[in-house]
Amino acid sequence: MATICPLRSVSVNPVCCNGCGTCAEMAPEIFRMDPLTEKPVVLCDDCPEEDALRAQAYCPHDCIEVD
C-alpha cells in the first residue's frame, strides 16, 4: 500500500529572506532561486508536506510559511 503524502501551501517572505538558497537546496522540487532577485521562487501551489516542513526548518531567517 502506498503512503499518502499530504500537500501544503508554501510561501516565502521576501523581506526577511537573505537569498541564502537553503530552501532550493533542501527542496528543489518546491523552490528555485531567481537569478535576478537572488530570492527563492515557489514552484508549486500544493507541495509535499514533508519537503515543505524540512525546508522551513532549515531556513536561517524563518522566511518560509507552510499552511
Side-chain angles (χ1 to χ4, degrees):
M1 176 179 262
T3 303
I4 297 173
C5 181
L7 299 178
R8 303 288 290 270
S9 175
V10 175
S11 62
V12 176
N13 180 341
V15 175
C16 68
C17 177
N18 70 350
C20 71
T22 301
C23 56
E25 290 178 29
M26 297 300 298
E29 64 284 351
I30 299 175
F31 304 96
R32 76 167 172 80
M33 296 302 291
D34 183 324
L36 296 176
T37 64
E38 298 180 346
K39 303 285 179 143
V41 175
V42 178
L43 300 174
C44 49
D45 291 330
D46 294 316
C47 309
E49 179 180 49
E50 183 178 330
D51 297 335
L53 292 175
R54 182 176 348 103
Q56 182 184 42
Y58 281 92
C59 179
H61 294 284
D62 297 325
C63 303
I64 300 171
E65 185 170 322
V66 179
D67 297 323

